[in-house]
Amino acid sequence: MTSEELNIEFEAAVDRVNNHTEPFPADFLLRLYAFYKKATNDYGRPSSSKPIINAFKTNALFQVQDISEDEAKQEYINLVNNYFLYRK
């Protein structure tokens, strides 16, 4: 898959998540959060008003620190595809 194709699939997966109206499981959201942040090279600190949520987000980011941006995009796509595949 080319870099352009990966970016197109990644953006489609992001749109699919953003357009979904039902709540997602918390563990799924944390994994999405970490892969999204890594994929978009966004290393800003978590900004929840609740310290415990920031701790979970920070932990999720540590777990993906050793993968590339492209790997993070692919993992994000895989998570989204698998989630919606099993929700049918």
Side-chain angles (χ1 to χ4, degrees):
M1 176 182 307
T2 67
S3 182
E4 184 177 337
E5 290 170 331
L6 181 62
N7 287 333
I8 290 168
E9 279 196 44
F10 176 69
E11 290 301 325
V14 170
D15 288 343
R16 194 169 186 191
V17 168
N18 288 336
N19 292 327
H20 187 66
T21 57
E22 296 175 25
F24 290 108
D27 61 328
F28 178 74
L29 284 175
L30 277 173
R31 286 184 287 157
L32 283 181
Y33 171 84
F35 288 126
Y36 181 85
K37 290 290 204 171
K38 182 70 176 191
T40 59
N41 200 23
D42 180 357
Y43 297 109
R45 295 180 54 139
S47 59
S48 174
S49 61
K50 298 182 180 184
I52 190 70
I53 292 173
N54 288 333
F56 280 113
K57 287 181 175 181
T58 300
N59 183 44
L61 291 171
F62 278 128
Q63 292 178 30
V64 299
Q65 68 184 355
D66 293 330
I67 66 172
S68 72
E69 291 175 24
D70 284 347
E71 288 171 316
K73 287 177 184 177
Q74 188 61 60
E75 289 298 324
Y76 187 99
I77 293 164
N78 293 344
L79 276 174
V80 171
N81 288 343
N82 287 334
Y83 179 83
F84 286 105
L85 177 68
Y86 292 113
R87 297 285 297 170
K88 290 182 179 183

